[in-house]
Amino acid sequence: MEKEIYMKNSKSAFTMIELIFVIVVLGILAGVAIPKFAATRDDAQIAKGRSDIASIRSAIVTERQTRLIKGDSKFITSLHDTSVTPVAILFDGNGTSTLLMYGITPKNTDGHWQTNATCTGGVCTYKFKVLGVDNIFTYTQSNGIFDCNTTAAPSCDQLTK
């Protein structure tokens, strides 16, 4: 009878070998999954940047179309309100028109936009940080081009393809 009680109790618990096996399997899965998650985060930041760039470029063209209908052939002078310092919202227009409906809040972290709030000579500069690198974008008022220098930062090529 004592043997039956002992057998019932021991069958309801895991052995040390089983526990070690489970820990090893979980370690192997974590070793495979963690690098995949890191790569996925980098890809997501690049995809976000591409999406933002496409939206900004589309907004510039849409604003130009609106101006052409009104008889003004000029591109928008600035992509943000330059009279506000520090810049709280980017790509919301120049204070007189709206580019992106909600604009973008600048942050100095990966996957976010920043600006040095300078627009000189009809050229405004913006930064998009991805993979720890600042990618400098310029908006040129004379031709409406919003682009990045691909030789200055290798991520620019990934963002503008």
Side-chain angles (χ1 to χ4, degrees), residues 1-81:
M1 181 154 178
E2 286 180 29
K3 193 173 185 180
E4 288 178 20
I5 293 173
Y6 176 73
M7 292 297 279
K8 284 183 183 179
N9 288 340
S10 68
K11 290 202 183 243
S12 63
F14 292 108
T15 65
M16 185 61 91
I17 299 288
E18 290 171 328
L19 290 174
I20 289 173
F21 181 73
V22 168
I23 291 170
V24 167
V25 168
L26 289 175
I28 291 170
L29 290 174
V32 169
I34 290 173
K36 293 283 185 193
F37 285 133
T40 301
R41 182 170 186 230
D42 295 345
D43 291 344
Q45 289 175 355
I46 291 170
K48 179 193 179 293
R50 283 183 183 171
S51 173
D52 288 349
I53 293 163
S55 295
I56 293 162
R57 287 175 172 171
S58 175
I60 291 167
V61 170
T62 301
E63 175 64 21
R64 173 84 189 285
Q65 301 278 337
T66 303
R67 287 170 177 247
L68 284 172
I69 290 172
K70 295 177 182 178
D72 182 5
S73 63
K74 296 178 185 171
F75 283 93
I76 190 169
T77 56
S78 172
L79 304 182
H80 69 281
D81 189 354

